[in-house]
Amino acid sequence: MSILDNIVIHKKHNSIIAKTGGGNNVYLPKDTTITIRGRAIGTLEDVNFGRIQEQPCDCPSGIHSDGGINHAHIVELSGGEYAVKCSGSKCEGALYVMDKEQQLVSKDIPFDDISKLEDLKDAVKEQKKDIKRRAIAKKVDDWLVDNSAHVWFDEDTEKYCIKRTTHINYFSKNSFMQFFLSSCGAKLTGGDIKIDTMRSDYRPDKDEFFIQDGHKTINTFTQAPLMSVEPRYEMPKHIGMLLDNLFKDKKQMQQFLNWLAFIYQKRERTQTAWVFAGKPGTGKGVLVDYIIKGIWKHNAVCNLTDSHLESAFNPYMQDKMIVHFNEISADTKKSRVSVKNRLKTWLTDETIFINSKGIKEVERSNYCNIIMNSNEHIPIDIETGDRRFNVVRTDNVLIKQDWFTGGGVTVGYIMSEVEDFAAYLAGYDVDEKLAHSVVMSELKEELIEAVKTMPELISEAIVNKDFDFFLDCDIERWVSRIDEFKKPSMTQIENEFMSDFISNKVLSILVSAVFGRETNMTSASRTIFNKFKIGVKTHNGSSRGYRISEKIDVKGF
């Protein structure tokens, strides 16, 4: 670094202004080599130092003096920029980077260790990168604030996540960067923004961030606007009339309101479900589409169908408090059993496995409460002693009611009362025990009678070697519960099932899977083998079991 006394050099209009100690100004082309007092000071590519009384500094703040003396370093940088360091008392040693129009580019570069032009260029280059990173980070932060969003890298799904007020998006690294480029113009590279690594879970009972199993966890629950309102104690007029139309039994209606108020107030799982069955046009859809969805918003999902139940993927169950199934067309007994077993799993299990396309399967806390609508048929079988399903018969068609006006008029009144109904649920005196209970109804008794023919269906499947029937009844899930040292493999079960002899152990597994509860061979023998005479007790040398008869139509017995 060359140091010259009594010289200050300025860049202006593509020329060099050199002012000597004698007060003479020299205007020279930018690339001119200047020699003063026999010493070459070079061009503006060099570093120069000067002192002069009341000489304006090239920093953007104008004239600075320190006891009448100004100090400046000027360095030419790449791209037509140059750097100025002023050590006057007002500048306090600040370093500025200016463009060719003398506009401020950056400032406050650490200068203590800079001794070479290359060091300064590296420092400026690094600071410009930092300025770019901060500008990108500001764009991202502004977007997150504007959209009430959080961003993190999820340990479980191994995806970048953005949580907004109504949903969560999952991204690969590339799609994550592309999202912010298109959303706010932020061109991300590695390290531009700080992203926390966390786990996530749906916990309506927790704060937004909490510790779970020793891990920092972000809560994927977001409250819908009507999920927290001041309580009121009067039922809205038109919603009240709709409920009266749905429920013949007013005691059953109060039980449903208690169930719904429990979910609203406690934000917990009831482990019970409601099935509304009957004629179309009775208001079942209005209840879920406008009232329940209107209150719980993104925390509820409505109108799930067969395709959802049949798919191996179930993202629709993630982050939900109320799940509604509409017209599940399970028109055979084995399909009704399959639907029932799956629903019972979602109702009772503490956690639920979420399997989404392109995302690693994860286990989440289960807060699901289920409502099912059906017009003419019932898509589930309910057995004696059931403790999960409340069943309502709906026969009163809305359009035939004097108070109901078509063309969306009455539905419009109902929609306008949704906030008042949320307030009614907030003020409801909840009976927690009742919310977890089911009561008998006329329709439920009919369904229980219908399910008593299930042994007939099991007998037919055994005799006709219909192993798919048991697969449809989630036998794999039942086998997974058996102790590892005791359970046979699915291949062993199927091979034995297809042979003439089936051991009591395998038969017990098959029957238990269908009924969804542990069933011993004494009960199975009495209700299936003895009743329908489909086999003979025998011993194959190592196990007791049954030798199965030829294929028959058990319905003839």
Side-chain angles (χ1 to χ4, degrees):
M1 177 182 293
S2 60
I3 301 177
L4 305 176
D5 291 338
N6 299 321
I7 295 291
V8 64
I9 295 178
H10 300 278
K11 174 186 177 185
K12 187 174 183 181
H13 303 307
N14 293 321
S15 298
I16 297 174
I17 304 174
K19 189 165 186 174
T20 67
N24 297 318
N25 291 333
V26 182
Y27 295 85
L28 299 170
K30 177 180 177 181
D31 57 354
T32 301
T33 299
I34 306 171
T35 301
I36 298 178
R37 296 182 182 176
R39 298 175 61 183
I41 64 172
T43 67
L44 223 54
E45 322 301 322
D46 300 316
V47 179
N48 301 277
F49 176 81
R51 289 186 304 186
I52 188 165
Q53 300 264 338
E54 296 299 324
Q55 173 62 44
C57 297
D58 279 334
C59 66
S61 299
I63 299 176
H64 296 158
S65 62
D66 186 6
I69 302 296
N70 288 297
H71 308 267
H73 292 285
I74 304 175
V75 181
E76 179 78 6
L77 304 174
S78 62
E81 296 173 348
Y82 66 99
V84 178
K85 182 188 179 188
C86 184
S87 54
S89 59
K90 293 183 180 179
C91 288
E92 297 180 347
L95 182 67
Y96 301 88
V97 175
M98 312 293 293
D99 63 17
K100 61 184 180 180
E101 301 298 332
Q102 299 192 33
Q103 299 296 313
L104 182 64
V105 176
S106 61
K107 65 178 182 178
D108 298 333
I109 302 173
F111 199 72
D112 294 342
D113 298 328
I114 294 175
S115 59
K116 299 178 181 177
L117 177 61
E118 289 75 15
D119 294 336
L120 180 57
K121 289 182 177 179
D122 289 342
V124 172
K125 184 178 180 181
E126 187 59 37
Q127 193 200 44
K128 289 172 73 175
K129 287 182 179 178
D130 183 60
I131 290 171
K132 182 180 178 182
R133 283 193 293 266
R134 282 183 288 177
I136 291 172
K138 186 177 186 307
K139 285 183 178 180
V140 172
D141 288 342
D142 288 346
W143 186 90
L144 293 174
V145 170
D146 291 343
N147 291 273
S148 301
H150 289 285
V151 60
W152 76 97
F153 181 79
D154 194 87
E155 285 186 31
D156 298 323
T157 61
E158 298 177 357
K159 295 286 185 181
Y160 291 89
C161 302
I162 299 176
K163 172 189 173 184
R164 286 183 267 185
T165 53
T166 59
H167 62 283
I168 294 173
N169 295 112
Y170 296 85
F171 300 93
S172 65
K173 184 176 181 180
N174 288 337
S175 59
F176 179 74
M177 292 190 291
Q178 182 61 40
F179 174 84
F180 277 107
L181 179 61
S182 60
S183 297
C184 60
K187 190 173 182 179
L188 296 178
T189 57
D192 285 334
I193 60 174
K194 184 179 182 299
I195 299 176
D196 291 332
T197 297
M198 294 184 285
R199 288 185 173 178
S200 59
D201 198 7
Y202 184 74
R203 295 296 302 271
D205 57 329
K206 295 283 189 181
D207 294 332
E208 187 168 18
F209 297 94
F210 59 95
I211 302 298
Q212 183 167 275
D213 300 328
H215 295 268
K216 183 179 180 181
T217 305
I218 184 170
N219 195 348
T220 56
F221 166 76
T222 55
Q223 179 175 280
L226 296 186
M227 289 181 69
S228 180
V229 296
E230 290 297 318
R232 300 176 192 171
Y233 304 96
E234 183 178 351
M235 170 68 74
K237 177 182 175 180
H238 293 88
I239 291 179
M241 289 191 290
L242 176 72
L243 292 171
D244 283 335
N245 194 70
L246 286 169
F247 290 89
K248 291 181 180 179
D249 185 340
K250 303 314 173 190
K251 182 178 179 180
Q252 196 177 35
M253 183 177 78
Q254 290 302 319
Q255 186 190 5
F256 175 73
L257 287 170
N258 182 80
W259 181 82
L260 209 57
F262 174 87
I263 299 169
Y264 184 91
Q265 294 179 24
K266 307 299 181 181
R267 299 180 179 180
E268 295 177 10
R269 184 166 42 93
T270 63
Q271 301 187 50
T272 59
W274 283 82
V275 180
F276 292 85
K279 297 177 181 178
T282 56
K284 301 186 294 291
V286 175
L287 173 64
V288 293
D289 291 338
Y290 298 108
I291 300 176
I292 290 176
K293 186 68 174 177
I295 294 173
W296 276 271
K297 295 293 185 183
H298 52 278
N299 293 287
V301 59
C302 297
N303 297 307
L304 298 178
T305 61
D306 291 295
S307 60
H308 295 95
L309 283 175
E310 293 168 1
S311 173
F313 303 104
N314 64 339
Y316 54 84
M317 298 295 293
Q318 184 169 353
D319 299 348
K320 296 294 180 281
M321 293 179 69
I322 297 182
V323 178
H324 168 243
F325 293 93
N326 189 36
E327 288 305 313
I328 304 300
S329 57
D331 52 3
T332 66
K333 285 192 175 182
K334 65 179 182 181
S335 60
R336 289 199 298 268
V337 170
S338 177
V339 170
K340 178 201 68 176
N341 288 344
R342 180 168 290 193
L343 293 179
K344 288 180 72 172
T345 298
W346 290 336
L347 287 170
T348 58
D349 288 0
E350 292 292 330
T351 59
I352 186 170
F353 286 91
I354 303 299
N355 188 9
S356 304
K357 288 183 180 179
I359 300 176
K360 183 179 177 183
E361 184 180 64
V362 292
E363 186 176 10
R364 291 285 186 258
S365 296
N366 181 14
Y367 282 78
C368 293
N369 298 278
I370 294 175
I371 296 175
M372 181 178 290
N373 289 354
S374 177
N375 286 336
E376 299 299 337
H377 67 276
I378 299 297
I380 58 172
D381 276 337
I382 302 177
E383 68 268 13
T384 303
D386 169 73
R387 296 179 291 114
R388 301 299 169 205
F389 298 98
N390 288 288
V391 184
V392 181
R393 188 191 299 277
T394 60
D395 291 328
N396 298 324
V397 178
L398 285 175
I399 200 66
K400 294 181 179 181
Q401 310 308 311
D402 293 338
W403 59 270
F404 186 84
T405 303
V409 175
T410 303
V411 172
Y413 292 147
I414 288 171
M415 292 173 64
S416 70
E417 294 175 351
V418 170
E419 182 174 354
D420 292 337
F421 185 66
Y424 177 78
L425 295 178
Y428 196 95
D429 186 12
V430 170
D431 182 336
E432 294 192 23
K433 184 177 180 181
L434 183 62
H436 293 286
S437 305
V438 297
V439 295
M440 187 60 66
S441 67
E442 180 182 343
L443 181 55
K444 185 171 182 177
E445 286 180 348
E446 294 174 8
L447 295 176
I448 290 174
E449 287 298 318
V451 81
K452 289 180 180 178
T453 61
M454 183 56 71
E456 179 181 334
L457 191 62
I458 296 173
S459 301
E460 186 176 40
I462 292 174
V463 172
N464 295 327
K465 303 299 181 186
D466 182 9
F467 193 69
D468 286 341
F469 168 80
F470 297 96
L471 291 175
D472 290 341
C473 295
D474 271 353
I475 187 175
E476 291 176 295
R477 180 175 175 274
W478 187 265
V479 170
S480 69
R481 294 181 171 185
I482 302 173
D483 187 278
E484 287 291 334
F485 298 99
K486 297 179 180 179
K487 71 179 179 183
S489 68
M490 286 299 299
T491 300
Q492 290 172 322
I493 293 173
E494 184 173 5
N495 289 341
E496 186 170 318
F497 177 83
M498 301 305 293
S499 69
D500 292 332
F501 175 85
I502 307 179
S503 66
N504 287 344
K505 180 178 181 179
V506 169
L507 285 169
S508 178
I509 292 172
L510 295 171
V511 176
S512 298
V514 175
F515 285 113
R517 65 176 186 273
E518 191 72 37
T519 305
N520 58 42
M521 279 310 299
T522 300
S523 175
S525 296
R526 183 178 66 254
T527 59
I528 299 172
F529 294 92
N530 295 345
K531 181 177 181 180
F532 296 104
K533 299 180 175 61
I534 63 172
V536 179
K537 283 185 179 181
T538 185
H539 195 285
N540 71 347
S542 60
S543 303
R544 293 185 180 276
Y546 279 82
R547 188 166 301 283
I548 307 303
S549 306
E550 297 180 2
K551 288 187 178 183
I552 56 173
D553 181 4
V554 298
K555 293 179 181 179
F557 284 83

